[in-house]
Amino acid sequence: MNTTALRLAVVGHSNTGKTSLLRTLLRDRDFGQVADRAGTTRHVEGARLSIDGATALELFDTPGLEDPSGLRDYLDLLCPSSERLDGPARIERFLASSEASRRYEQEAKVLRQLSHSDAGLYVIDARDPVLGKHQDELALLSDCAKPLLPVLNFSAASHNRAAAWADALARAGLHAYVPFDTVAPAEGGEAQLYASLALLISHGKAALTRLTEHLAEQRQQRQHAGIRCIAELLLNSAALRHSVPSANAAAALSELQNTLREREQHCVRNLLQLYGFHPDDALPDHLPLNAGRWGDDLFHPETLKQLGIKVGGGMAAGAASGVGIDLLFGGMTLGAAALLGAVAGGGLQTARNYGKRLIGKLKGHAELTVDDNLLRLLAARGLWLLAALDTRGHAATEALQGQTPTAPWPDALPKPLRQARAHPQWCAWQEQATDEERQRAVSELAAVLHDSRQA
Amino acid sequence: MRNALSSPHHTSTFDRLWLAESLRLLEEQQGPLDDQAVLAHLQQQGNHRPKDLILQRAAAEGARLKLDHAQQRWRLLQRLGSPLLALLALLSGGLLSASLLGDGSQPVNIFVVLLGLGGLASLTLVLWLGGMLLRQSSSVLGRLWLDVQRLSLGDGNAAWLARGYAALLSRGHLLRWQLGLISHSFWLLHLTGALLGLVLLLSVRRYGFIWESTLLPAESFITLTQPIGMAAALLNLPQPDLGQIAASDQWQRHDAALQQAWAGWLLAALLLYVWLPRLIGVIVCALHYQRRQRRLDIDLSLPGYATLANRLQHRSLGVLDAEHPHTSTRATHAAPSAGSGQWLVGLELADDEPWPLSHAEGWRDGGVLRQRQHSAALLQGWQAQPPQHLLLVCDARQTPDRGLERWLESLANAAAQPALLLLHAEHSPRLALWQQLNWPHPRFEHWAQAHAWTQSA
Ligand SMILES: Nc1nc2c(ncn2[C@@H]2O[C@H](COP(=O)(O)OP(=O)(O)OP(=O)(O)O)[C@@H](O)[C@H]2O)c(=O)[nH]1
Ligand SMILES: [Mg+2]
């Protein structure tokens, strides 16, 4: 493997989204500072992308070029055309000049960094009109004699001027460019960016291909991890059994509901963290999620209705509580059957669990379980959030379009969840829940969720 | 902490994975640990594979929670406990043989001995096999052993180790093999003890073997004895022939050859049908266990690990070219004190912006400038005859930058009364930026304001 990583400078006019692009490429929403004004970034800051601990790509954020027209005039002053200096020589002379650390300090940092890099990503706000300053900017950058890949940011915005930009870039000799929206990167947008880059830097081709593959792999891992989060939540909820004296069932209901709210919240937090977001990051508008919390209460009948979960008349009351009361048969029959299983091989823990439940039964306790519809609701919301996170870049703030999903499994719960109903010891909130059968069920459920995601 | 971090290799890979798994489960249920100190330390060490980072973090955090001590306690218990358990197994086997054979004063029912020594062992083996086919780990002994170990950890943080242990093993599909290994080893030792006891007693005492039953007919013994006797044939040990079997329904006290034949038959049967399968069981379990243990690894598609890998990855290269703040000195120009005429100039307007502006009768049109150099001609003209009113028009939806600020300034300096008109101010989220602009002259957001300004002057 070659030891020196590719170095990429991210350059462009100020406030075009350079730092945002870096955040998205690095999947690090804490990188640098982002604000909607000129001159947010005032230094060069680097970060790397690694594959298994080896640096594959070094990316450098630079300040915006704020006064390219002034600088170009100054360069003409420094290097009279009679001297016929070439681009890099002109840049060198400028970097050694007095204004490089005064009026044009910011611009000097950009040109210096680009000169020390293998290539530059030239970030454009595609909504901006093409102006003289941009042409001056392109002239300055091309003086550095490094490959430049224009990146049309905000290409998803409705009034963009991508066509005018393509024309202007072609006039500057830049014929390849990539559209890229840092807030909602298109599927495969990142791969396209690296592929276009590989065409410009021939010695970086292998490294960039490997990086693209690695990123795809990581994305899959993240998806799997996200789905597992949801699968665990569902399985634990399905296995949950809350034994209470029949008389106190109503009071215990709200306690159980709170547990579920908390657990769902926990899952949301995990998903956000998995995708590198903070709970207070702005998330797509259509997700009723505020500061990392779902706005709609889990147990409000309206929430069920929104996700297309039909609740029959007689069941409405139970469904609204989200909890079924398992008075006799469910718990007892399952209990007795599984008790035998426990004695055969479940170990002390399981036997103790069943013992407790049998005693509870004899004392006339009721067992609270989580309703089917609630499980479907949890699944729908989890998958919804996951899908939104999966397509969201690590930049900014604007709302995304999207529609409310419908809840999965209208007819019957998938097998692993039905199994979980009969295995209270699978509920990791109450028990050890480490046996292989449970892990198998989680994997199966994850596969089911994966399929219903695709559907 | 430093120790744990700098020498993570003093423990086996398995133990490090085990610790990481325990912490993963703990954090999954109880929320994240405060690992900032460890994080800072890891980040100083530069670039590492994500899996190594996770293991190093686990080692450091585990040490902080004293889980490493608990792990050592567990290992100690294992080291002390397993010889004890082995001894117990051997002794119990020997004792069982002795009690089944008795002191030789009574005839010994050969089938009672066979069943007594091999019955339960075979039954549990069959149950285990059935369990394996159903992919269930049904090893009572193994479970008990794990439970005992778990109890040794007590409650508190260390209890997560027990969970982590079982979770790691079942995730790697080796829990059943380990449980199997424990119970097969126990049974193997138990049977070895029994066989040794048997051989010992048979060599120092004379026993008389018979078969007897109230319920079962004699033929069933004879038909049973022969297939079981194949073991003895295989091992070249003596076994009773048909006549001897038939004769053994009574105590043939002085027929030494007959008793030897039965002894050979019994030993061979136990060795081949009961002891050997257990040995095979031990070997199979051990092989599977080892093979799968070697494959154990951090699975980055588990939610906890995926998040950690992302968080621990050291990405920053830091600030390379820091800002050197300097005070920019603004050249103060003496603006012309008086001029003539009202000029309207658009700066950096998009080409779809209608120009000239609709209410601009009576204004002289300086045009729309999109390139800084283009203002040179205007400025030159104004040197002789500076404008009295100069209204510069910009688009409030764009971001004002330092270049524009300089440009505005250079134009403003050429007029007696400059002002700035912002178009589209009402739909611009960036209006505030224009209000912060370093522009000491009037600033308008509506044409009417600009109009009033020219009137008042
Ligand atoms: N909707 C949308 N907003 C974006 C996108 N990229 C950047 N932004 C926003 O644009 C603004 C500027 O982004 P920055 O990343 O700070 O831009 P910059 O080029 O680094 O700016 P300077 O450091 O000042 O030169 C921020 O408000 C971002 O939220 C994009 O693709 N879509
Ligand atoms: Mg920036």
Side-chain angles (χ1 to χ4, degrees):
Chain A
M1 238 201 76
N2 67 0
T3 44
T4 53
L6 275 187
R7 296 159 65 87
L8 267 190
V10 178
V11 299
H13 202 81
S14 60
N15 205 30
T16 50
K18 297 177 293 301
T19 310
S20 305
L21 175 67
L22 255 103
R23 283 188 172 182
T24 301
L25 293 181
L26 294 168
R27 299 204 160 61
D28 179 2
R29 47 94 59 219
D30 292 323
F31 180 87
Q33 270 190 324
V34 165
D36 188 11
R37 61 188 172 81
T40 313
T41 310
R42 291 173 171 276
H43 52 230
V44 176
E45 188 172 348
R48 66 182 144 221
L49 281 173
S50 323
I51 305 177
D52 271 341
T55 309
L57 189 63
E58 288 182 346
L59 291 158
F60 300 94
D61 188 19
T62 63
L65 291 164
E66 279 199 66
D67 192 4
S69 304
L71 175 55
R72 203 171 170 200
D73 286 346
Y74 178 60
L75 256 185
D76 287 343
L77 195 82
L78 279 180
C79 320
S81 57
S82 58
E83 282 190 54
R84 309 229 160 145
L85 289 181
D86 67 356
R90 283 158 58 89
I91 297 293
E92 241 167 75
R93 186 172 290 184
F94 159 62
L95 290 177
S97 74
S98 60
E99 291 294 352
S101 56
R102 293 201 182 84
R103 173 168 277 166
Y104 300 113
E105 189 203 358
Q106 220 167 296
E107 285 77 8
K109 288 189 195 318
V110 182
L111 297 175
R112 198 179 298 128
Q113 190 57 46
L114 181 59
S115 303
H116 292 160
S117 303
D118 292 298
L121 292 178
Y122 176 54
V123 182
I124 293 164
D125 182 343
R127 301 167 307 179
D128 282 345
V130 186
L131 297 169
K133 61 185 179 190
H134 297 119
Q135 280 150 358
D136 292 332
E137 194 167 276
L138 276 167
L140 288 173
L141 293 172
S142 58
D143 271 353
C144 292
K146 293 288 176 178
L148 265 193
L149 179 65
V151 176
L152 285 189
N153 194 10
F154 293 96
S155 51
S158 49
H159 321 283
N160 67 56
R161 296 187 164 91
W165 274 104
D167 190 45
L169 290 170
R171 291 176 80 98
L174 297 171
H175 297 277
Y177 65 90
V178 282
F180 193 86
D181 204 277
T182 56
V183 170
E187 182 104 24
E190 204 176 7
Q192 195 196 342
L193 194 150
Y194 289 129
S196 308
L197 205 56
L199 292 178
L200 294 181
I201 333 172
S202 50
H203 66 273
K205 191 164 188 306
L208 288 168
T209 314
R210 253 168 53 77
L211 182 65
T212 312
E213 285 164 7
H214 177 72
L215 290 172
E217 208 175 285
Q218 274 195 325
R219 178 164 180 216
Q220 273 219 323
Q221 269 176 358
R222 254 196 315 275
Q223 280 176 4
H224 283 156
I227 284 187
R228 280 194 79 103
C229 263
I230 302 170
E232 286 274 348
L233 172 70
L234 291 176
L235 203 81
N236 284 331
S237 308
L240 182 68
R241 277 170 184 275
H242 202 59
S243 172
V244 285
S246 300
N248 295 357
L253 258 184
S254 69
E255 193 185 320
L256 186 62
Q257 289 183 337
N258 277 336
T259 310
L260 283 170
R261 281 194 197 103
E262 244 164 62
R263 291 295 172 172
E264 191 197 26
Q265 184 51 37
H266 189 71
C267 175
V268 168
R269 247 195 330 264
N270 281 346
L271 286 178
L272 289 177
Q273 214 189 14
L274 180 66
Y275 277 85
F277 290 103
H278 288 202
D280 45 350
D281 277 345
L283 277 158
D285 242 7
H286 68 279
L287 283 181
L289 201 65
N290 294 321
R293 289 187 165 273
W294 290 103
D296 298 329
D297 187 73
L298 198 51
F299 299 97
H300 200 285
E302 202 54 35
T303 315
L304 287 172
K305 240 195 272 165
Q306 265 176 13
L307 298 194
I309 299 178
K310 298 236 167 20
V311 184
M315 274 181 54
S321 70
V323 172
I325 301 183
D326 185 5
L327 269 179
L328 197 89
F329 36 86
M332 191 60 198
T333 42
L334 291 175
L339 183 62
L340 287 178
V343 170
L348 283 183
Q349 291 282 331
T350 327
R352 205 186 298 149
N353 173 294
Y354 281 105
K356 255 195 316 211
R357 293 185 53 216
L358 272 180
I359 291 173
K361 207 61 13 180
L362 295 178
K363 283 200 207 147
H365 283 192
E367 273 190 332
L368 302 185
T369 57
V370 177
D371 189 81
D372 276 11
N373 280 327
L374 196 75
L375 292 177
R376 298 176 52 217
L377 176 60
L378 287 172
R381 296 220 284 199
L383 291 176
W384 192 11
L385 177 61
L386 187 64
L389 290 177
D390 202 37
T391 49
R392 184 137 180 102
H394 282 76
T397 43
E398 215 170 85
L400 290 174
Q401 293 308 305
Q403 35 171 247
T404 317
T406 47
W409 319 313
D411 305 321
L413 292 184
K415 185 168 145 253
L417 285 180
R418 278 180 279 133
Q419 273 179 321
R421 293 271 195 221
H423 290 85
Q425 76 274 24
W426 283 2
C427 178
W429 307 331
Q430 297 177 324
E431 299 291 330
Q432 297 252 340
T434 43
D435 58 303
E436 246 172 89
E437 214 186 337
R438 177 181 189 274
Q439 301 210 354
R440 227 175 5 250
V442 174
S443 304
E444 272 170 35
L445 184 58
V448 173
L449 286 170
H450 196 81
D451 293 344
S452 50
R453 222 169 90 85
Q454 240 114 63
Chain B
M1 180 192 89
R2 187 154 299 254
N3 273 342
L5 273 182
S6 47
S7 61
H9 297 286
H10 66 282
T11 45
S12 69
T13 313
F14 179 85
D15 282 6
R16 298 167 63 206
L17 285 169
W18 171 21
L19 197 55
E21 184 76 11
S22 309
L23 287 179
R24 184 180 74 83
L25 292 175
L26 185 152
E27 292 189 278
E28 200 162 271
Q29 295 304 321
Q30 302 191 341
L33 295 167
D34 178 12
D35 57 359
Q36 300 196 12
V38 184
L39 215 66
H41 186 82
L42 285 179
Q43 307 241 308
Q44 276 166 23
Q45 301 197 326
N47 224 353
H48 280 290
R49 295 172 58 222
K51 290 177 183 172
D52 293 336
L53 288 173
I54 292 174
L55 290 177
Q56 288 186 33
R57 171 185 181 272
E61 288 295 300
R64 186 167 68 87
L65 300 182
K66 304 250 183 334
L67 291 186
D68 52 346
H69 292 307
Q71 235 176 355
Q72 282 159 12
R73 243 184 301 140
W74 173 293
R75 288 278 176 234
L76 188 69
L77 186 71
Q78 216 168 32
R79 266 201 300 279
L80 294 180
S82 25
L84 269 179
L85 201 65
L87 198 67
L88 184 74
L90 276 170
L91 280 182
S92 67
L95 285 176
L96 187 62
S97 294
S99 67
L100 282 172
L101 285 181
D103 58 1
S105 59
Q106 297 286 316
V108 181
N109 187 340
I110 190 84
F111 282 98
V112 169
V113 178
L114 185 63
L115 267 183
L117 290 181
L120 190 58
S122 305
L123 183 71
T124 51
L125 183 69
V126 168
L127 278 181
W128 178 79
L129 270 177
M132 286 310 265
L133 289 181
L134 296 175
R135 298 166 70 189
Q136 300 252 359
S137 48
S138 55
S139 152
V140 180
L141 266 175
R143 286 260 174 215
L144 274 178
W145 177 235
L146 270 191
D147 285 336
V148 168
Q149 294 234 29
R150 177 178 300 151
L151 292 181
S152 83
L153 290 175
D155 288 335
N157 286 338
W160 289 99
L161 276 180
R163 267 191 172 193
Y165 191 79
L168 179 64
L169 292 185
S170 29
R171 190 154 61 67
H173 303 296
L174 40 72
L175 186 59
R176 4 186 209 139
W177 299 109
Q178 199 204 30
L179 295 178
L181 186 60
I182 295 173
S183 73
H184 287 321
S185 306
F186 183 88
W187 276 111
L188 186 69
L189 287 166
H190 173 82
L191 291 168
T192 311
L195 279 168
L196 287 178
L198 210 57
V199 170
L200 192 75
L201 287 175
L202 288 175
S203 16
V204 299
R205 272 193 197 142
R206 168 175 296 182
Y207 290 96
F209 292 110
I210 59 164
W211 49 263
E212 58 185 12
S213 169
T214 316
L215 276 181
L216 300 175
E219 295 83 63
S220 55
F221 284 103
I222 298 175
T223 44
L224 249 179
T225 309
Q226 277 189 317
I228 295 176
M230 273 164 22
L234 265 176
L235 294 180
N236 238 343
L237 287 174
Q239 58 167 318
D241 55 32
L242 273 180
Q244 285 173 314
I245 298 171
S248 294
D249 59 344
Q250 312 210 354
W251 195 4
Q252 311 286 342
R253 205 168 184 141
H254 300 291
D255 190 344
L258 176 62
Q259 307 310 342
Q260 266 174 16
W262 277 121
W265 177 90
L266 178 65
L267 283 175
L270 282 175
L271 205 62
L272 220 60
Y273 296 142
V274 189
W275 187 84
L276 189 64
R278 282 291 175 182
L279 180 67
I280 294 173
V282 168
I283 292 173
V284 168
C285 285
L287 285 180
H288 268 282
Y289 181 74
Q290 269 189 348
R291 191 168 55 94
R292 287 173 192 258
Q293 197 194 30
R294 253 180 275 127
R295 277 202 237 137
L296 276 183
D297 201 358
I298 297 277
D299 178 359
L300 288 180
S301 64
L302 286 176
Y305 290 149
T307 307
L308 264 188
N310 191 28
R311 221 158 58 83
L312 295 179
Q313 192 65 254
H314 183 50
R315 294 202 184 77
S316 176
L317 297 169
V319 173
L320 304 171
D321 196 347
E323 184 194 6
H324 302 287
H326 55 268
T327 47
S328 64
T329 43
R330 258 175 170 269
T332 42
H333 281 273
S337 54
S340 61
Q342 330 182 354
W343 283 75
L344 192 64
V345 180
L347 293 186
E348 298 194 340
L349 297 180
D351 44 16
D352 49 12
E353 195 68 56
W355 190 269
L357 295 178
S358 37
H359 322 277
E361 307 90 23
W363 289 80
R364 291 193 59 186
D365 185 7
V368 176
L369 305 181
R370 298 198 176 91
Q371 175 100 34
R372 175 98 58 96
Q373 283 75 8
H374 294 169
S375 58
L378 273 183
L379 287 173
Q380 197 142 38
W382 289 343
Q383 255 171 14
Q385 207 177 30
Q388 176 63 33
H389 288 114
L390 171 61
L391 189 60
L392 301 168
V393 183
C394 288
D395 187 340
R397 292 169 303 186
Q398 289 178 29
T399 315
D401 54 30
R402 190 157 40 80
L404 180 70
E405 204 173 289
R406 277 185 69 197
W407 194 6
L408 285 173
E409 191 186 324
S410 72
L411 289 169
N413 284 336
Q417 287 191 333
L420 181 62
L421 172 64
L422 297 172
L423 298 180
H424 309 290
E426 60 278 18
H427 344 98
S428 169
R430 290 175 173 154
L431 189 61
L433 300 178
W434 290 91
Q435 282 154 358
Q436 289 156 17
L437 193 73
N438 192 349
W439 176 254
H441 311 288
R443 193 182 336 229
F444 309 126
E445 289 161 24
H446 303 286
W447 180 254
Q449 292 171 310
H451 189 68
W453 168 65
T454 51
Q455 298 307 309
S456 70

